[in-house]
Amino acid sequence: MHIAEISTHILRVPLGEQRFYSSQAAFGERKSLLVRVVTTDGLVGWGEGGQYGPAEPVAAAIEHVLGPLLIGRRADQPVRLWEELYAFSRDFGRKGTYIEAISALDIALWDAWGKSLDRPVHALLGGAHRDRVGAYATGGYYSDRYTDQAAAIAELREQAQTYVGSGFNALKVKIGLLPVALDAQRVAVVRESIGTDIDLLVDANHAYNAATAIRMGRALQDQGVLWFEEPVVPEDRDGYRRVRDALDVPIAGGEAEFTRYGFRSLLTHGCVDIIQPDICAMGGFSEFTKVLALASSFGVLTVPHVWGSGVALAAATHALAVIPATPHTYAPVPLENAPVIEYDRSPNALRDDLLTEGFPLTDGSVAVPQGPGLGVQIDEDVLRYYTTASATVSR
């Protein structure tokens, strides 16, 4: 089974009046890059990357640099190919665009390999610890009305109650765009709306310096928040450590980190209680297994970050399936020693419409696919509808 063809597909969905904000930016569209690998015996593997910044550089790296290196190579050797691509691009691509490109290719190769063996990716990764994964709702973004605190609070309260009504046992809200006092009020309103039986997480998207993050974190502790995500910029290892040392609320981070080397630094500096590798950005399945081993050696729970299309969600379910309880207990507890899946609730047709069968929430959890490879099917009509650019690499 050899690689015959690689194609890239840049997808965009304008959001219009559904635009929303994190602490860093306005989201006026949902976009991603899908990669299709076709083997010489006709199998198709899908991967995803290009989620964080512009998708075009990631597509170009695949089309003009990395893709041609893979044509004619065996498709059932994703780990070996990962190492070769990383070694090739080490001098200029240790983070960002090239690692996202390698991630997308790696996921597609694992998908194709699983299909060739009629086995799901989680089986190839060593075996699933669970066939369902508890989910938390990511929402609580800022709307265009974020400067009107009363209106924004009313929207947030209604949104939080909707998540709980949909069956979620945990939810995550955004902070960092407003002054600490106003964001603390947002968190307090969510807690009041959902009660004490629902787990509450917050995400600053690295909006703060360490001093401000500590001030915000003390307000979060009062609300029983179970993790404080990306309190400071990813480069500030000392800041992460200061925040973690000053607070009781667990510190999460890592969505903006790449490869085992970046996560080694995050762990050896004692930055986090929970690491959040994004399978579609940090290196794909081949690198995820190495990061998972590193994290377990530090006693740190791994909870992958998820952002993108249904392909990204599918990849995350397989990764989450193989994460053991950290540390082991007979009955693992979500967010204490068992992972949960990020179930983004912001508008995204690429998540909701691209797959022929999605990931419905049942009793607060989603099922891990059991079909071969990623265990999902792309709706080709939807793919064509949202594709704004594509390219193919072959002999």
Side-chain angles (χ1 to χ4, degrees):
M1 185 176 72
H2 295 78
I3 300 169
E5 179 181 291
I6 298 170
S7 59
T8 60
H9 307 262
I10 297 175
L11 282 61
R12 296 184 182 279
V13 184
L15 294 180
E17 294 181 355
Q18 292 183 302
R19 179 175 64 170
F20 59 94
Y21 302 75
S22 70
S23 69
Q24 299 302 306
F27 291 83
E29 65 178 7
R30 297 305 297 259
K31 61 178 176 55
S32 198
L33 169 74
L34 294 189
V35 173
R36 173 165 37 198
V37 170
V38 181
T39 69
T40 49
D41 51 359
L43 292 175
V44 173
W46 288 96
E48 181 165 5
Q51 306 172 13
Y52 284 6
E56 287 81 2
V58 183
I62 293 170
E63 179 187 356
H64 298 292
V65 184
L66 301 178
L69 298 177
L70 295 181
I71 299 300
R73 300 296 302 275
R74 288 188 59 161
D76 59 353
Q77 298 180 337
V79 178
R80 174 182 175 176
L81 294 178
W82 194 101
E83 294 291 343
E84 292 184 11
L85 292 179
Y86 183 77
F88 170 81
S89 58
R90 172 180 271 122
D91 289 349
F92 51 86
R94 291 191 300 273
K95 293 179 181 287
T97 293
Y98 275 88
I99 300 302
E100 281 200 67
I102 294 173
S103 302
L105 291 165
D106 182 79
I107 293 166
L109 290 172
W110 280 87
D111 185 28
W113 186 23
K115 289 172 179 174
S116 75
L117 299 174
D118 197 30
R119 298 290 286 156
V121 166
H122 57 75
L124 274 59
L125 291 171
H129 291 272
R130 56 193 65 83
D131 58 12
R132 299 195 67 85
V133 183
Y136 71 87
T138 290
Y141 286 88
Y142 302 88
S143 73
D144 281 331
R145 305 173 73 183
Y146 72 85
T147 57
D148 182 343
Q149 183 73 346
I153 288 293
E155 288 179 350
L156 187 60
R157 179 182 288 110
E158 180 181 358
Q159 193 177 95
Q161 292 171 346
T162 298
Y163 297 151
V164 175
S166 299
F168 287 100
N169 299 311
L171 61 92
K172 183 170 77 179
V173 299
K174 295 292 182 174
I175 59 174
L177 186 62
L178 301 176
V180 166
L182 296 181
D183 271 340
Q185 183 184 3
R186 285 167 51 85
V187 176
V189 164
V190 172
R191 173 55 79 198
E192 183 273 330
S193 299
I194 65 177
T196 57
D197 293 336
I198 302 298
D199 293 331
L200 180 58
L201 320 172
V202 302
D203 183 4
N205 292 113
H206 54 74
Y208 304 126
N209 59 34
T212 307
I214 291 168
R215 188 155 57 96
M216 184 74 237
R218 288 175 178 149
L220 301 179
Q221 290 175 165
D222 293 340
Q223 302 300 331
V225 168
L226 292 186
W227 88 35
F228 184 4
E229 183 175 333
E230 285 201 306
V232 297
V233 295
E235 301 92 337
D236 188 3
R237 303 300 204 227
D238 291 338
Y240 258 106
R241 183 60 184 264
R242 281 182 59 195
V243 173
R244 188 180 179 215
D245 287 348
L247 301 175
D248 293 329
V249 59
I251 304 302
E255 70 179 72
E257 199 47 81
F258 302 86
T259 76
R260 77 199 83 157
Y261 306 109
F263 283 93
R264 178 185 63 183
S265 173
L266 204 62
L267 292 163
T268 56
H269 282 80
C271 296
V272 293
D273 300 285
I274 299 155
I275 62 163
Q276 299 174 288
D278 190 303
I279 313 304
C280 299
M282 55 71 65
F285 290 120
S286 296
E287 196 68 353
F288 168 75
T289 58
K290 299 175 177 65
V291 170
L292 179 60
L294 269 175
S296 67
S297 73
F298 281 83
V300 170
L301 182 63
T302 300
V303 181
H305 175 262
V306 186
W307 182 259
S309 80
V311 174
L313 188 56
T317 61
H318 288 272
L320 279 146
V322 303
I323 298 172
T326 309
H328 173 79
T329 59
Y330 180 74
V333 179
L335 294 170
E336 289 186 13
N337 66 336
V340 290
I341 191 164
E342 182 166 17
Y343 203 81
D344 174 37
R345 295 291 81 204
S346 59
N348 187 0
L350 303 180
R351 177 197 62 226
D352 297 335
D353 301 337
L354 185 65
L355 303 182
T356 57
E357 293 185 21
F359 291 87
L361 186 76
T362 304
D363 296 328
S365 66
V366 298
V368 177
Q370 300 301 314
L374 292 177
V376 296
Q377 286 289 119
I378 300 291
D379 186 320
E380 297 283 348
D381 291 335
V382 174
L383 177 72
R384 283 189 291 271
Y385 184 77
Y386 289 122
T387 295
T388 59
S390 61
T392 299
V393 180
S394 60
R395 282 197 186 279

